[in-house]
Amino acid sequence: MSLTSTLTDTAQIVTVNAERIDAAMAIQFKEDMRAATDGGHDRVVLDLSTVEFIDSSGLGAIVAAMKQLGGGRRLDLAGLSPMVDKVFRLTRMDTVFKLYPTLDEAMAADGQ
Amino acid sequence: MVETFACSFQATELDARDGIGCVVEKLRALGMSETRAGEVRIALAEAVNNVVEHAYAGRAPGDVRIRCNLDNEQLWISIWDAGMPLPDNRLPPGNPADVSGPIEDLPEGGFGWFLIRELTSDIQYQRANGSNELSLCFEVELKNR
């Protein structure tokens, strides 16, 4: 798994290069997110387009990634596959995160 | 139509991932929809993660055996392990995690049993002869049958 980070004028985009965020990689994901988002824009958009599956460990790692941003910064999620979307909705995490079907829609929304 | 198949693997995170993947591929090949197979995968992954992280916690990873029984209406998946029993020898309630508080108080775990209960229509648990058998039932509709 790797993360790719891109800075735009208004946000930092972090792209997950992996098919899954599961128990086997949740801790690595959380640590990589900490390194990738240290400083920078208040708005971080996590692009999950390549991720086909997450389990509860992966969900917990994404929650942890938002918590460790701190200081009023926020993590929005983009490109959720049907199964990833389902896990967020079942656990009511769709009420915590802003979810966008695609990265383009997330960037068009500009955090508003 | 009744299809029965089985697989087994060591209780490590990576072997579990492969074992779960095999089961889900087989279900797709037998005509289960992408959506339903995905839901089965979510519940099965949580159940097997529990075995890896809790039943075999603090000891060498043991075996996990999975047996599936699929007919035209139901899928039963039995997961067997020789690890520690569930707390109090019974199924956890699987209450939803509270996500209503401020961000710093959000839970980072405790979603697993809730997801399993949401996605299954029946769950049975048996502790016998030093091993656990957890059976999950899913209602299914198969294509091309």
Side-chain angles (χ1 to χ4, degrees):
Chain A
M1 188 199 76
S2 70
L3 303 178
T4 308
S5 176
T6 311
L7 286 175
T8 72
D9 289 343
T10 54
Q12 177 182 13
I13 302 166
V14 178
T15 305
V16 181
N17 305 303
E19 281 181 23
R20 56 182 81 79
I21 307 173
D22 62 10
M25 59 169 50
I27 292 170
Q28 188 201 339
F29 171 82
K30 182 179 162 183
E31 290 310 311
D32 289 355
M33 279 295 287
R34 185 194 300 280
T37 60
D38 188 23
H41 285 301
D42 281 353
R43 184 183 189 219
V44 177
V45 178
L46 186 66
D47 181 6
L48 294 165
S49 303
T50 67
V51 178
E52 289 167 9
F53 179 78
I54 66 166
D55 63 11
S56 62
S57 303
L59 177 67
I62 292 174
V63 172
M66 176 157 77
K67 287 161 76 170
Q68 72 195 7
L69 284 179
R73 298 171 73 202
R74 10 191 288 258
L75 185 66
D76 293 347
L77 309 180
L80 281 74
S81 74
M83 279 308 117
V84 174
D85 188 75
K86 174 150 263 158
V87 169
F88 275 85
R89 290 185 193 286
L90 282 171
T91 55
R92 307 288 293 145
M93 282 295 174
D94 60 326
T95 64
V96 172
F97 291 91
K98 281 195 178 171
L99 310 181
Y100 298 94
T102 65
L103 180 60
D104 283 349
E105 283 165 272
M107 298 318 289
D110 205 21
Q112 299 307 304
Chain B
M1 189 273 312
V2 179
E3 291 273 356
T4 304
F5 58 97
C7 75
S8 63
F9 48 86
Q10 270 218 312
T12 69
E13 287 168 347
L14 289 174
D15 289 337
R17 178 196 284 172
D18 290 344
I20 292 160
C22 284
V23 169
V24 173
E25 278 311 304
K26 181 81 177 162
L27 293 172
R28 286 200 187 102
L30 289 169
M32 185 175 286
S33 73
E34 198 66 28
T35 301
R36 200 71 184 121
E39 291 169 350
V40 170
R41 184 175 179 182
I42 293 169
L44 180 57
E46 297 302 334
V48 172
N49 282 349
N50 286 339
V51 172
V52 174
E53 289 171 24
H54 302 300
Y56 286 125
R59 56 175 89 180
D63 288 335
V64 182
R65 297 208 301 261
I66 295 181
R67 195 181 63 249
C68 299
N69 194 88
L70 177 67
D71 65 25
N72 288 318
E73 290 169 354
Q74 286 187 330
L75 166 69
W76 275 96
I77 302 182
S78 296
I79 303 154
W80 179 97
D81 70 78
M84 288 180 285
L86 288 175
D88 301 326
N89 276 313
R90 63 174 179 217
L91 292 165
N95 297 323
D98 181 5
V99 300
S100 62
I103 286 174
E104 57 267 28
D105 294 341
L106 284 175
E108 294 175 30
F111 312 110
W113 277 104
F114 174 73
L115 286 171
I116 294 169
R117 288 194 180 275
E118 282 291 296
L119 295 168
T120 54
S121 58
D122 195 4
I123 309 177
Q124 291 177 14
Y125 172 67
Q126 247 192 332
R127 174 79 184 177
N129 303 318
S131 56
N132 300 307
E133 187 169 348
L134 177 70
S135 299
L136 309 178
C137 182
F138 302 85
E139 306 302 314
V140 296
E141 267 178 45
L142 299 184
K143 303 177 285 193
N144 311 319
R145 293 274 168 188

